[in-house]
Amino acid sequence: MINLILFGPPGSGKGTQAERLKEHFQLLHISTGDLLRSEIANGTALGLAAKEFMDAGQLVPDAVVIGMLGGAVDQARQAGKKGIIFDGFPRTTAQAEALEHMLTDKGTAVSCVLSLVVDEEELTQRILKRGLTSGRTDDTDIDTIRKRVQEYRTKTEPVASFYKDRDLLEEIEGVGSIDAITEALMDAVNAFSSKHSDG
Ligand code: ADP
């Protein structure tokens, strides 16, 4: 399988690029943010629990997020996909460890981690702009956005070292045309696939 992780701060373009990469490489797209928002829309207990954290710009507890992903590999295989693209996951080292476990159990592994690099000022502007149309309450309030970036710096950034240690991390400039960024991401995936292949 080709299992990709799109990594980067809120507003770095993970969702946009995941849509393109999933088509190109025939992957199942898993966005934990979208999964959580759909739980909220459906009024489930999980959604209710998650909403408070999300509205406050905080990460949802690991156990909740990890619990949603148990069936991902089977789901990808049943759907005839070549692998999975994770978008917004893992966001903590505990989540990265859980993912490693889950994939190993299923006889597969992370192929590469694509880290989108975007400066803080650009991120804030993009999120505020998205907030005008996204209907996401966490995209409109400047304090909530700041909190999310802070959560990213303290809890999510360490995940980059986790993958750097495993030689799986590739940094990609996330500012420029959407097409050019997609191309850079695809080139990075192809370079990794030719280097290591788990079949
Ligand atoms: P963005 O990348 O713009 O922050 P997401 O849709 O990925 O948007 O995430 C929105 C919110 O959902 C996060 O601020 C967080 O509260 C919650 N969330 C999403 N994925 C995770 C995760 N893997 N772990 C914990 N919380 C998450």
Side-chain angles (χ1 to χ4, degrees):
M1 292 176 91
I2 306 175
N3 299 310
L4 308 179
I5 294 173
L6 259 186
F7 188 80
S12 57
K14 300 186 294 291
T16 305
Q17 296 297 339
E19 287 297 327
R20 293 163 159 237
L21 296 178
K22 84 163 180 200
E23 293 298 333
H24 185 82
F25 293 107
Q26 292 172 257
L27 307 173
L28 174 70
H29 176 199
I30 294 191
S31 156
T32 44
D34 288 349
L35 289 175
L36 290 166
R37 280 185 290 277
S38 117
E39 294 282 341
I40 292 172
N42 292 328
T44 66
L46 192 156
L48 266 172
K51 189 175 187 323
E52 283 186 38
F53 292 98
M54 291 169 77
D55 286 346
Q58 294 175 319
L59 291 184
V60 173
D62 288 332
V64 174
V65 176
I66 293 165
M68 293 193 304
L69 298 185
V73 174
D74 290 339
Q75 197 188 328
R77 285 181 174 147
Q78 275 155 24
K81 302 288 183 189
K82 301 235 162 81
I84 302 174
I85 182 160
F86 293 96
D87 154 14
F89 179 89
R91 260 172 152 106
T92 63
T93 306
Q95 291 179 17
E97 280 162 357
L99 178 64
E100 192 167 72
H101 224 103
M102 181 180 108
L103 295 179
T104 307
D105 264 5
K106 297 284 177 186
T108 185
V110 170
S111 311
C112 68
V113 179
L114 305 159
S115 172
L116 287 168
V117 181
V118 179
D119 66 84
E120 216 127 314
E121 182 51 35
E122 168 82 12
L123 292 174
T124 314
Q125 293 312 319
R126 285 189 191 178
I127 296 172
L128 285 169
K129 191 170 164 217
R130 179 171 74 185
L132 298 175
T133 52
S134 69
R136 282 177 52 175
T137 46
D138 63 341
D139 279 349
T140 46
D141 178 63
I142 189 82
D143 289 333
T144 310
I145 295 171
R146 288 223 175 86
K147 180 67 193 169
R148 280 159 64 198
V149 172
Q150 191 189 328
E151 288 277 88
Y152 177 79
R153 298 286 172 226
T154 56
K155 297 179 183 165
T156 306
E157 232 162 38
V159 176
S161 331
F162 180 94
Y163 289 113
K164 197 165 199 268
D165 290 347
R166 287 157 174 73
D167 253 336
L168 291 173
L169 190 76
E170 189 70 38
E171 289 195 342
I172 307 284
E173 171 70 53
V175 182
S177 84
I178 294 179
D179 283 346
I181 298 165
T182 307
E183 208 156 303
L185 290 164
M186 285 176 182
D187 287 349
V189 175
N190 290 327
F192 264 95
S193 314
S194 51
K195 245 195 314 185
H196 351 234
S197 177
D198 76 336

